[in-house]
Amino acid sequence: MSTLEDHYPIDCPFCKIAAAYPSPTSSSSPTTSPIPSNPDPEKVDPQCHLLLSTPHVLAFLDILPIAPGHILLVTRRHYRTLADLYGGRKKKDGNREGGENVVRDGDVDGDDRDGEDRERENRERNREMKEDAQALGEWMPILSRALCSVTGIEDWNLVQNNGERAAQVVPHVHFHFIPRYQEGRRDLGVRGDGKGAGGINGGVNGRLGKLDMGMLKSWRMFGRGTREELDDEEGVVLARSLRGALRRELGLRDDGEEGGVEEGKGGDVKAKAKAKL
């Protein structure tokens, strides 16, 4: 069984992925769609099953998923924690405003030409930070809807860790989208007379009873689920389906990618998840 170190042998694998899959507005990548078409997963090692590529963020499948369909959303630029993804500048008294990526040591306001150049660079860097932060927020609901439509899930975790003590493995800002599958889930509500609800409309959905989270087979706290290596063949199929769902969310034309998971049912994805519960 391979370890996290086997999969993450360099300081920042997410920067490596960002370099391998350039921004769609760059000269090296002629496409303008944020959803790549048939991206080569072997551009990096381990393989990257890319879902989304914009000037600000990327999304791809986690190579050690907690559940099938586990997605990572990352910033294209390198920020170690969320605290570093913040606009600011160093004041004249030397106190820093903002995160570690804002200014270099020794950069302070001044009247000379070098100071003006640094101030201009600061403003540009702060603008980039703001756009990166906005992009993260804009793509979270879109990725969530695509994940639900492909896997058929109703519940999922959105998790973000900062620092080693908070279980951050890769020192690059990223968000986890973790599906929670519903196999074995049942209506846990009670009727007004205190007896068990007989149908879906009489229980949780009817809001007559309190949901007992301990009874849900799909419930696990983040970090306590078993992480298994992503099978590359399964990753290709799942990523293709998720890219198709993202295109539909954005109203983009289907580019003809075939062979994905049947939408809304999850196919082998749900079967694999059920076996892990």
Side-chain angles (χ1 to χ4, degrees):
M1 185 69 178
S2 47
T3 65
L4 287 173
E5 288 74 19
D6 294 328
H7 288 280
Y8 300 129
I10 62 177
D11 290 339
C12 186
F14 296 166
C15 285
K16 181 179 178 181
I17 291 173
Y21 301 95
S23 167
T25 59
S26 69
S27 58
S28 59
S29 181
T31 180
T32 58
S33 172
I35 313 304
S37 178
N38 291 308
D40 182 3
E42 297 185 355
K43 283 188 174 183
V44 294
D45 182 26
Q47 291 189 6
C48 173
H49 299 284
L50 190 67
L51 311 176
L52 171 71
S53 176
T54 82
H56 304 288
V57 297
L58 302 99
F60 41 85
L61 295 179
D62 194 308
I63 59 173
L64 289 173
I66 288 179
H70 185 161
I71 295 172
L72 298 180
L73 174 66
V74 313
T75 55
R76 180 173 287 278
R77 297 181 183 89
H78 183 83
Y79 307 97
R80 187 175 62 84
T81 69
L82 277 182
D84 302 321
L85 184 56
Y86 175 75
R89 62 189 179 88
K90 183 172 288 186
K91 298 184 293 183
K92 291 182 179 180
D93 62 7
N95 293 323
R96 176 164 299 193
E97 295 177 343
E100 67 178 22
N101 293 330
V102 177
V103 290
R104 300 182 181 89
D105 289 338
D107 286 355
V108 296
D109 296 330
D111 297 327
D112 59 357
R113 181 61 184 174
D114 290 340
E116 292 177 0
D117 290 342
R118 287 194 291 269
E119 183 68 20
R120 184 163 47 251
E121 291 175 1
N122 274 345
R123 288 195 297 268
E124 176 63 18
R125 193 177 299 117
N126 292 342
R127 181 189 63 79
E128 292 173 348
M129 287 181 177
K130 182 177 180 180
E131 291 177 349
D132 292 344
Q134 289 174 335
L136 287 170
E138 289 169 358
W139 282 103
M140 286 179 191
I142 299 173
L143 279 169
S144 294
R145 290 194 296 269
L147 180 62
C148 291
S149 69
V150 169
T151 61
I153 61 166
E154 300 172 1
D155 313 302
W156 69 101
N157 290 113
L158 180 59
V159 181
Q160 198 274 328
N161 304 319
N162 295 279
E164 294 181 0
R165 294 181 183 85
Q168 183 181 17
V169 175
V170 179
H172 186 128
V173 167
H174 58 286
F175 289 78
H176 297 260
F177 294 71
I178 307 171
R180 300 300 185 177
Y181 291 89
Q182 284 79 237
E183 280 76 6
R185 181 172 177 170
R186 55 195 176 92
D187 191 351
L188 301 174
V190 294
R191 296 198 303 258
D193 58 7
K195 297 180 180 180
I200 189 169
N201 292 326
V204 175
N205 287 0
R207 300 183 182 278
L208 296 179
K210 182 178 180 180
L211 183 64
D212 180 2
M213 299 304 294
M215 292 291 290
L216 298 183
K217 289 179 66 179
S218 62
W219 178 259
R220 286 192 187 128
M221 291 297 292
F222 176 75
R224 298 187 64 181
T226 302
R227 303 193 74 158
E228 297 181 357
E229 293 182 50
L230 175 66
D231 180 84
D232 287 332
E233 293 183 0
E234 293 177 357
V236 168
V237 174
L238 182 55
R240 186 179 297 127
S241 297
L242 287 165
R243 289 194 296 268
L246 285 170
R247 292 188 188 96
R248 288 188 290 274
E249 286 293 332
L250 298 174
L252 300 177
R253 184 176 60 185
D254 188 357
D255 72 345
E257 284 193 281
E258 298 178 354
V261 177
E262 184 178 354
E263 183 180 2
K265 296 185 178 180
D268 293 339
V269 179
K270 290 185 70 177
K272 184 176 180 181
K274 184 176 182 179
K276 293 176 62 178
L277 296 176

